[in-house]
Amino acid sequence: EEHVLMASRLLAICLFTCTLGSLHTSSVCMSGAMQAARVVIQQSGVAAVNGVYQRRPVASIPSAFKKVCDENNWDVSATWRRLADENKSWFEHDNGSYIYRNKQDDQWWIDGPDGYGVFVARDVSDLPPKGGWKALQKQAASALPLIEYQE
């Protein structure tokens, strides 16, 4: 159980995007997938994950993800490459919380500023889904997140 909890903490980073090579300035990339510069989480049961998230390239690694890797003596870059979907950007909150798509379990993860998983949703789309989220922590179950996209 502790191993699963540690893994879930790691897994919550990005959400969204067309392949990095096909990005351009409009709200639609060449493949037709929607682009969003920001993702907004509202009304979740965990205040730390509510707020505005800025899109980040998958080549960068969230600092909270690094922290969890370091705490567990995991290779940061190798773990990120193994988990993060290289075809999707991830999103970062000013407080270090982040959203990413985990390619191993086909879920979007919302991780708190401590790097541990708070919510997951199974979805293969380019952006984190607006619904279908499941809480990973008891305090998170009181209210699931509402997701909006901003250009």
Side-chain angles (χ1 to χ4, degrees):
E1 182 179 311
E2 186 173 271
H3 181 263
V4 171
L5 180 58
M6 283 192 280
S8 72
R9 291 176 175 182
L10 257 186
L11 300 176
I13 175 174
C14 175
L15 298 152
F16 133 117
T17 209
C18 298
T19 61
L20 294 176
S22 67
L23 296 176
H24 61 72
T25 56
S26 78
S27 64
V28 176
C29 55
M30 297 171 117
S31 69
M34 178 182 169
Q35 292 296 295
R38 291 175 296 281
V39 170
V40 180
I41 296 178
Q42 298 177 22
Q43 301 178 10
S44 85
V46 177
V49 301
N50 292 332
V52 178
Y53 290 70
Q54 301 295 322
R55 187 166 55 113
R56 302 286 187 242
V58 75
S60 65
I61 301 173
S63 57
F65 184 92
K66 290 177 187 177
K67 179 181 171 275
V68 172
C69 287
D70 290 343
E71 288 172 357
N72 291 284
N73 295 315
W74 296 334
D75 181 281
V76 176
S77 295
T79 304
W80 181 248
R81 284 192 312 272
R82 188 173 62 251
L83 298 178
D85 187 331
E86 64 274 3
N87 295 314
K88 312 228 184 290
S89 297
W90 61 277
F91 296 83
E92 184 175 35
H93 190 293
D94 285 344
N95 71 5
S97 296
Y98 60 97
I99 306 166
Y100 81 108
R101 186 164 181 287
N102 183 306
K103 65 184 177 185
Q104 287 196 335
D105 66 6
D106 290 328
Q107 296 188 104
W108 283 99
W109 285 74
I110 299 172
D111 287 349
D114 60 0
Y116 292 97
V118 180
F119 298 102
V120 292
R122 188 167 308 282
D123 195 287
V124 297
S125 58
D126 288 336
L127 292 171
K130 291 189 173 187
W133 293 96
K134 295 179 181 161
L136 297 174
Q137 303 173 2
K138 282 189 179 196
Q139 73 270 23
S142 64
L144 298 176
L146 299 178
I147 306 279
E148 292 181 9
Y149 312 128
Q150 296 179 345
E151 287 189 41

